[in-house]
Amino acid sequence: MMWDASRGKNRTGLMRKLKRIFRKETLYLLFTYLLLIGIAFVFIYPFLFMITTSLKSNADLYDSTVHWIPRSFTFDNYRVAAIFMDYLTYFKNSVFLTLITTVAQVISCSMVGYGFARYRFPLKKALFAFVVICIIVPTQSIIIPLYMTYTSLGWVNTYLPMIIPSFFGFGLKGALYIFIFRQFYLQLPPDLENAARIDGCGFLRVYLRIVLPIARSAFLVVIVLSIVWHWNDFYEPSIFLDEQKLMMLPNALYLLIDYAQSPPPTSAFGGMMSDVVVNSAVVMAGTFMVVFPILFLYFFIQRQFIQGIERTGIVE
């Protein structure tokens, strides 16, 4: 009987310990999920506000009782935003410049990063330090000498100030892409490349046949980052481009905001726009039309992009 009583006490003590552990884990998980939900809401809130506001009518927009869900959904704001922004023209400009600069940066930055990772040459450390400095120094701090240089070359009011530097491993965030490729190539064992060189392969053949197939994840990361930054770039096009017809979509969005603050003459858009009001709902619709292509792209490649981030080593 004494043995049975002691065994019962042991079971009771074990159950109490398990309950304490379960309570601690439950509280920890609850705190973790609440923290993650709060952080996620901070990031998601602007998108929710943008989408719900873009679907509001003019009456709902100035109705204090309407906060999130409009009383009457309307997609007419997107039509108005597309007309006032001249969306198709600026969309073509953004696609053209983004594709060219992205392809140029992927090719040039990958080769430069491979050179820093695999080859020895004079002033290698000093040159890589210069690359790191280019990551830290913002474009705004060197925009005056850049503008003077491009003016002397006759490149102002053309796409050349954004395109040409991309072919030489520079351009928008080019130094960061070099750093990403270098970090990835340093993690690769050089045995396959050495074996290919022993078989008589030159630099290009080794790079195209051996390195490129292995570096798909790094290429995907750089491609996505380059597309996003060039698509959203407002600063450089506003500095180097004077003609309105050459501007990008973010610049067109700025014009839409100007229209909302000071409406243009109705004759500029024809009589059909005489009764149209460019309000904050139209601006939110235009904003969504600008960011939608990037959201659409990320929706399909988010898993591969996250895996690429993990494999490139930039989180270390």
Side-chain angles (χ1 to χ4, degrees):
M1 295 293 293
M2 293 179 62
W3 181 79
D4 291 336
S6 62
R7 185 172 65 178
K9 290 180 179 179
N10 292 335
R11 287 181 178 177
T12 304
L14 180 61
M15 291 298 295
R16 289 177 180 175
K17 290 181 179 180
L18 290 175
K19 288 180 179 180
R20 291 173 186 170
I21 295 172
F22 178 76
R23 289 174 182 173
K24 290 181 179 179
E25 291 183 352
T26 303
L27 290 175
Y28 175 76
L29 289 175
L30 180 62
F31 175 77
T32 302
Y33 280 115
L34 288 176
L35 180 62
L36 292 176
I37 291 172
I39 295 174
F41 179 76
V42 171
F43 287 96
I44 295 175
Y45 175 82
F47 293 97
L48 295 177
F49 178 80
M50 174 180 63
I51 294 173
T52 56
T53 305
S54 68
L55 297 174
K56 291 181 180 179
S57 62
N58 195 46
D60 289 338
L61 194 63
Y62 296 102
D63 189 348
S64 59
T65 61
V66 177
H67 296 285
W68 287 101
I69 302 176
R71 297 184 186 277
S72 58
F73 290 87
T74 177
F75 291 93
D76 193 59
N77 295 325
Y78 290 89
R79 181 184 66 84
V80 175
I83 293 174
F84 275 85
M85 291 172 62
D86 194 6
Y87 185 80
L88 289 179
T89 299
Y90 293 109
F91 179 81
K92 293 176 183 178
N93 294 343
S94 293
V95 170
F96 171 76
L97 186 61
T98 300
L99 290 181
I100 290 182
T101 51
T102 298
V103 172
Q105 282 189 325
V106 168
I107 295 174
S108 60
C109 294
S110 63
M111 290 188 174
V112 175
Y114 183 73
F116 276 118
R118 286 290 187 262
Y119 290 92
R120 296 180 181 178
F121 49 88
L123 301 177
K124 175 181 176 180
K125 293 183 179 180
L127 290 174
F128 186 71
F130 180 75
V131 172
V132 175
I133 291 174
C134 291
I135 299 176
I136 300 171
V137 176
T139 306
Q140 290 80 357
S141 61
I142 59 173
I143 195 63
I144 294 177
L146 284 177
Y147 187 84
M148 295 176 65
T149 301
Y150 296 147
T151 301
S152 62
L153 294 173
W155 290 0
V156 175
N157 206 30
T158 67
Y159 293 139
L160 295 180
M162 283 78 74
I163 294 177
I164 298 300
S166 301
F167 282 95
F168 293 92
F170 194 61
L172 185 63
K173 307 293 183 181
L176 176 61
Y177 306 147
I178 293 174
F179 180 81
I180 292 175
F181 278 116
R182 175 185 176 271
Q183 292 301 107
F184 180 82
Y185 291 139
L186 286 175
Q187 298 178 5
L188 298 179
D191 297 339
L192 290 176
E193 301 162 51
N194 294 334
R197 291 191 184 94
I198 293 174
D199 292 338
C201 293
F203 166 76
L204 282 178
R205 195 169 182 181
V206 170
Y207 188 75
L208 295 175
R209 295 292 184 87
I210 306 298
V211 178
L212 286 186
I214 303 176
R216 290 179 181 176
S217 58
F219 274 87
L220 179 62
V221 170
V222 172
I223 288 172
V224 172
L225 293 178
S226 182
I227 289 176
V228 170
W229 272 318
H230 281 102
W231 185 270
N232 295 328
D233 186 27
F234 172 84
Y235 184 73
E236 287 192 358
S238 63
I239 295 295
F240 299 125
L241 299 176
D242 295 331
E243 294 186 17
Q244 185 174 332
K245 63 180 181 180
L246 298 176
M247 294 293 184
M248 306 294 111
L249 271 180
N251 305 99
L253 182 60
Y254 187 76
L255 294 176
L256 185 62
I257 296 174
D258 281 346
Y259 292 157
Q261 295 175 350
S262 56
T266 56
S267 59
F269 297 95
M272 60 178 294
M273 305 299 293
S274 58
D275 58 342
V276 171
V277 178
V278 181
N279 50 30
S280 58
V282 176
V283 173
M284 290 297 105
T287 305
F288 182 77
M289 293 169 66
V290 172
V291 302
F292 177 75
I294 299 300
L295 296 176
F296 184 78
L297 173 67
Y298 185 74
F299 177 78
F300 287 99
I301 62 172
Q302 55 179 324
R303 180 177 297 179
Q304 294 82 356
F305 178 71
I306 295 173
Q307 291 176 353
I309 287 287
E310 296 174 351
R311 294 173 182 174
T312 52
I314 62 177
V315 296
E316 296 181 355

